[in-house]
Amino acid sequence: MTVFNAKSPRPARRSTLMRSAGIGLAVGAIAAFSAAHAQHDATVAVAPLAVGQAAPVPSADPSKRLPGTIEVSKIDFKRGEGGAGRLVLSFSGEGAAPDLRSVGSTVTINVANAELPASLQRPLNVTDFATPVQRIEARSSGTGATLTLSTQGNYESMAYQTGSEYIVEIVPRAAQPGTRAVGASTAAVGATTSAGTARAYSGRPVTFNFQDVPVRTVLQLIAEESGLNVVAADTVQGNVTLRLVNVPWDQALDIVLQAKGLDKRRSGNVVWIAPQAEIAKYEQDKEDARIALENRVDLVTEYVQINYHNATQIFEALTEAKGIGGQSGQGGQGTNNNDNGFLSPRGRLVADERTNTLMVSDIPKKVAQMRELIRVIDRPVDQVLIEARVVVATDTFARELGARFGIAGHKDGKYFFNDTIENNDETRGSYVEAITSNEPSFELTKGAMSNLGVLNPAGSLALQILNAGYALDIELSAMQEEGRGEVISNPRVVTSNQREAVIRQGQEVGYVTISPQQGGNSIPIPNVQFKDVLLELKVTPTITHDGRVFLNMNVKKDEVEGFIDTSIGQVPQIAKREVNTAVLIEDGQTVVIGGVYEFADRTDISKVPFLGDIPFLGNLFKKKGRDKDKAELLIMVTPKVMRVEQRN
């Protein structure tokens, strides 16, 4: 570590350098010595101050203080980036000379020439900030002030002074394998640039303590420590008061440049330092000279044949770039005197749709850039084969049990029965006809007292008991039906990368609608309309850089389930199944992008009141039915990438 201090002379080899800054350093030392022994003739009252709270305005009149008197006006602690602890000491004036020492897990800051008000002489617990700093103890030490920071874990300390503020940063550092935890290690620290991004500094740590020293002298010291060749412009002037402790030399250089409004440009081992306005003007003049030189170069014209793309589309893409004027379209051209985007201000671009050729007229440098740009754009794209499977599986089960029971007969020339009115009338008519014709018997018309039989039974069992003038019928019927079906649709389509593809297959189903007739005639007019019933696959694939396929797709499958009768005809009843989704799939992988499972279980009982509730015998007066329906829809997709190689 290299330390520069106004109170410590430099080695003999740097005596010439330090002699030039000796006067300024001596003045700073005398001022610090005078401030340390200055006496107050007025007492300043300060309210208690919490961490991060701004110090109140002293009640005493500042004009009554002795010249050179400095005191600590505020102690502020906050959490910085990366979990760093940031301690800011604000003084009532400039000229404070803090001294930072780090021993083990303790960092001590001694300010010999600044008094500490009684309101700030108290310990502060900063554990809640989650930084390496756990506790801050501020106390008065003679005519000066001492602040002790208790830390925990590995850390790096960095301190610098600007104006009336002294900033100490305690940055956590990850311990290296096989090494002990050292509190004051400063191998490389990070700082935040004006753009808000973290910049890493890796220069050797240095310590500077300057009071009103010429900035050119500070730059010369930094050049010796860095080993760089520093060239300072004649306009680099002014003095700087600087106190940096354990700060990398490259960060110290940035701090000095920012404080004095300077900037640097590095070329190899040489660093040019000048005011920011001067560097900006130099770069602007250099760019203007380059543009003026390009304007004197003769134009060349080249014809670029487009093979895999459309020349008009490439022309539109290039002319829509920022700064290109003119109109887009076939044979158009774009120019702009200020900024021509891909072309120079004198450049021209023309597209010929018939030959699919682009004509470029510009300086040789821009023409070469345009040819390279077109080469990147005009290349074949990979294709994708998308295979979809739409599976509709159904499973049905139905079972019905029923019975029919009836009785009819006659006795002693009189008929009696227990049946429906229609069967009663038919039996009575047969009886009257038999009596009229003097026939001893007549035909019995039998009917069921309980007609709960199964329609279209798979099988039935009947029993009839006959006696003189009596007939008893019992019929048991049953039906069980099972059905399984599977419908598989397999649409396939091939398309280029990021191009939408659509495949449809189906039919149009017609139906009749009625519309009122215009005019005075009230007779409606029938119209025939058609409804699409389609199997459709619509997909847009995108091949990612890692070989996977992103699919934005819509799969639709319609079916006609039946027709509904209306007063004007039949209307189709259409079952719709549709999936609209976006998925990321591996090349050649099959994935289920949608599925619907339906299950229905239904039990029906029809019975004769009271009779159907009789145990066992009640089955003759009831009908049982059970239906089970299962339906499952699965939509599976498999993309396959078809690589296309470019031919030279």
Side-chain angles (χ1 to χ4, degrees), residues 111-288:
V111 190
N113 62 339
E115 294 184 353
L116 184 66
S119 60
L120 299 181
Q121 297 180 18
R122 57 190 177 88
L124 302 176
N125 188 352
V126 294
T127 308
D128 295 339
F129 287 89
T131 67
V133 182
Q134 303 295 309
R135 181 183 177 87
I136 301 175
E137 184 176 354
R139 65 181 185 275
S140 179
S141 177
T143 58
T146 300
L147 283 84
T148 303
L149 281 65
S150 301
T151 63
Q152 182 179 8
N154 298 338
Y155 66 90
E156 298 167 350
S157 61
M158 179 181 66
Y160 57 93
Q161 183 177 0
T162 57
S164 61
E165 288 189 348
Y166 181 70
I167 297 96
V168 179
E169 291 190 2
I170 307 298
V171 183
R173 179 176 60 88
Q176 299 295 330
T179 60
R180 292 189 308 161
V182 181
S185 175
T186 55
V189 297
T192 304
T193 63
S194 59
T197 59
R199 174 182 173 184
Y201 293 102
S202 58
R204 185 171 58 178
V206 295
T207 296
F208 291 155
N209 186 3
F210 298 139
Q211 296 289 336
D212 198 20
V213 178
V215 66
R216 302 176 70 90
T217 302
V218 177
L219 295 177
Q220 186 173 356
L221 294 175
I222 295 177
E224 291 187 4
E225 292 302 320
S226 64
L228 297 176
N229 298 315
V230 177
V231 178
D234 295 338
T235 52
V236 177
Q237 300 294 336
N239 296 344
V240 61
T241 298
L242 193 65
R243 179 178 176 83
L244 302 176
V245 181
N246 296 339
V247 178
W249 66 261
D250 45 357
Q251 185 178 8
L253 177 60
D254 286 347
I255 292 175
V256 173
L257 297 181
Q258 293 175 8
K260 303 302 294 183
L262 304 176
D263 202 353
K264 66 175 185 283
R265 291 294 182 268
R266 181 169 179 172
S267 176
N269 198 31
V270 179
V271 177
W272 174 44
I273 297 177
Q276 295 177 355
E278 183 176 341
I279 292 181
K281 184 178 183 303
Y282 166 77
E283 293 180 345
Q284 181 64 39
D285 294 342
K286 184 178 178 181
E287 181 66 16
D288 294 342

Side-chain angles (χ1 to χ4, degrees), residues 501-519:
V502 179
I503 183 172
R504 295 186 180 95
Q505 184 267 332
Q507 59 181 343
E508 290 185 343
V509 180
Y511 58 95
V512 179
T513 61
I514 298 298
S515 61
Q517 187 176 5
Q518 298 180 356

Side-chain angles (χ1 to χ4, degrees), residues 384 386 493 495-502 537-543 549-554 581-583:
V384 183
I386 298 99
V493 65
T495 182
S496 298
N497 186 27
Q498 296 185 344
R499 288 293 184 91
E500 184 184 54
V502 179
L537 172 62
K538 184 185 298 184
V539 60
T540 303
T542 301
I543 303 174
V549 182
F550 182 82
L551 297 179
N552 192 342
M553 60 188 311
N554 179 272
T581 184
V583 294

Side-chain angles (χ1 to χ4, degrees), residues 420-641:
T420 62
I421 295 177
E422 291 79 7
N423 289 337
N424 287 348
D425 291 341
E426 186 176 355
T427 301
R428 182 176 181 281
S430 176
Y431 175 76
V432 172
E433 184 179 356
I435 295 300
T436 305
S437 59
N438 295 323
E439 294 182 0
S441 62
F442 65 95
E443 181 180 357
L444 288 174
T445 300
K446 299 183 291 294
M449 293 174 57
S450 174
N451 188 8
L452 297 175
V454 177
L455 297 177
N456 301 322
S460 61
L461 176 64
L463 174 65
Q464 187 176 54
I465 300 176
L466 300 176
N467 198 354
Y470 298 95
L472 178 63
D473 291 324
I474 299 177
E475 180 181 352
L476 301 177
S477 58
M479 184 274 294
Q480 180 170 323
E481 181 180 1
E482 296 183 7
R484 290 183 177 86
E486 190 174 272
V487 179
I488 301 177
S489 302
N490 187 205
R492 301 181 183 181
V493 65
V494 178
T495 182
S496 298
N497 186 27
Q498 296 185 344
R499 288 293 184 91
E500 184 184 54
V502 179
I503 183 172
R504 295 186 180 95
Q505 184 267 332
Q507 59 181 343
E508 290 185 343
V509 180
Y511 58 95
V512 179
T513 61
I514 298 298
S515 61
Q517 187 176 5
Q518 298 180 356
N521 194 348
S522 61
I523 300 176
I525 301 176
N527 298 320
V528 178
Q529 297 185 1
F530 293 90
K531 185 70 175 179
D532 291 335
V533 181
L534 302 174
L535 168 63
E536 180 182 75
L537 172 62
K538 184 185 298 184
V539 60
T540 303
T542 301
I543 303 174
T544 62
H545 69 282
D546 55 357
R548 291 184 287 182
V549 182
F550 182 82
L551 297 179
N552 192 342
M553 60 188 311
N554 179 272
V555 182
K556 182 189 300 183
K557 180 175 176 59
D558 301 338
E559 289 183 356
V560 179
E561 288 191 343
F563 291 86
I564 301 176
D565 292 330
T566 62
S567 59
I568 59 175
Q570 291 184 331
V571 178
Q573 186 177 3
I574 301 174
K576 287 182 168 293
R577 301 176 180 92
E578 182 176 359
V579 172
N580 190 353
T581 184
V583 294
L584 181 64
I585 312 175
E586 297 286 347
D587 182 15
Q589 179 184 6
T590 300
V591 63
V592 179
I593 64 171
V596 178
Y597 180 77
E598 297 178 357
F599 176 75
D601 190 354
R602 178 176 178 178
T603 301
D604 297 325
I605 297 178
S606 301
K607 62 182 179 180
V608 178
F610 305 112
L611 296 179
D613 297 330
I614 300 175
F616 185 72
L617 293 179
N619 293 325
L620 300 177
F621 301 95
K622 69 174 59 175
K623 175 183 177 181
K624 295 181 179 180
R626 184 173 185 180
D627 295 330
K628 289 184 178 180
D629 295 330
K630 297 180 182 179
E632 187 173 7
L633 169 66
L634 293 176
I635 300 177
M636 296 169 283
V637 176
T638 304
K640 296 179 181 179
V641 179

